[in-house]
Amino acid sequence: MMAGRAPMPYDYLRQVPAFTVVSDDLVHGEILPDAHVYEAGNVSPHLRWSGAPAGTKSYAITCFDPDAPTGSGWWHWVLADIPADVTELPRGAGSGDMEGLPKGALHGRNDYGTFDFGGAAPPPGPAHRYVFAVHALGVESIEVTPDQTAAVFSGTINHYALARAVLVAEYGVPDSAA
């Protein structure tokens, strides 16, 4: 953990093995492109994953900003019940007309109060980290309802997680007073 920054969301949860997630839109450790910023495009990124363990029965995808000035971070995307035979989501699958969203996938309410991907929108100041995670789960459905909180989704996802793949991008808005 860097001094002065919130811990990463999985630092203090039950540890699970890692697998791989890549994106045609995002590069781990680099700047989040404008297409995935709330005011500039608000489009969910392409994600492709591989190497999930045997016994994976579904996937969930989350995007969390641990640096949001809320005391509890900010959930940008909560998506569960992705069938186990799906290993890629195209750009926009979690936003707009949701073309490419697998049948049966379940969006939870993000912290914007909507049932989709909500892009980066940090206040002016240091860059925030956007933690995109693909969770391999040992159940076909996490059996929550869409109106439950992102925290309930996340806790349930983490309970059933067999493995996790993480990609982190950063985005900031310059502080004009600096």
Side-chain angles (χ1 to χ4, degrees), residues 136-147:
L137 307 178
V139 295
E140 289 181 13
S141 173
I142 63 169
E143 298 187 8
V144 298
T145 59
D147 61 326

Side-chain angles (χ1 to χ4, degrees), residues 36 42-45 63 76-77 94-95 107 110 115-120 132:
H36 315 296
N42 206 37
V43 176
S44 64
C63 178
H76 288 265
W77 199 10
S95 55
H107 265 117
N110 61 34
F115 299 94
D116 57 3
F117 170 79
F132 291 86

Side-chain angles (χ1 to χ4, degrees), residues 103-137:
K103 182 178 169 94
L106 174 69
H107 265 117
R109 184 188 321 267
N110 61 34
D111 283 340
Y112 292 111
T114 60
F115 299 94
D116 57 3
F117 170 79
H128 288 210
R129 295 165 292 169
Y130 296 87
V131 182
F132 291 86
V134 179
H135 311 263
L137 307 178

Side-chain angles (χ1 to χ4, degrees), residues 46-115:
H46 164 268
L47 297 171
R48 180 177 51 254
W49 54 93
S50 61
T56 297
K57 295 182 179 177
S58 71
Y59 295 99
I61 295 174
T62 57
C63 178
F64 182 74
D65 172 3
D67 302 312
T70 64
S72 61
W74 190 270
W75 290 100
H76 288 265
W77 199 10
V78 185
L79 179 64
D81 297 355
I82 300 168
D85 62 347
V86 174
T87 57
E88 184 170 16
L89 288 184
R91 176 191 284 194
S95 55
D97 64 9
M98 300 200 199
E99 187 175 332
L101 187 68
K103 182 178 169 94
L106 174 69
H107 265 117
R109 184 188 321 267
N110 61 34
D111 283 340
Y112 292 111
T114 60
F115 299 94

Side-chain angles (χ1 to χ4, degrees), residues 31-32 34 37 120-130 169-175:
I31 301 298
L32 188 74
D34 283 348
V37 173
H128 288 210
R129 295 165 292 169
Y130 296 87
E170 294 197 13
Y171 183 81
V173 176
D175 189 344

Side-chain angles (χ1 to χ4, degrees), residues 1-6 129 170:
M1 179 174 79
M2 288 180 54
R5 291 187 107 174
R129 295 165 292 169
E170 294 197 13

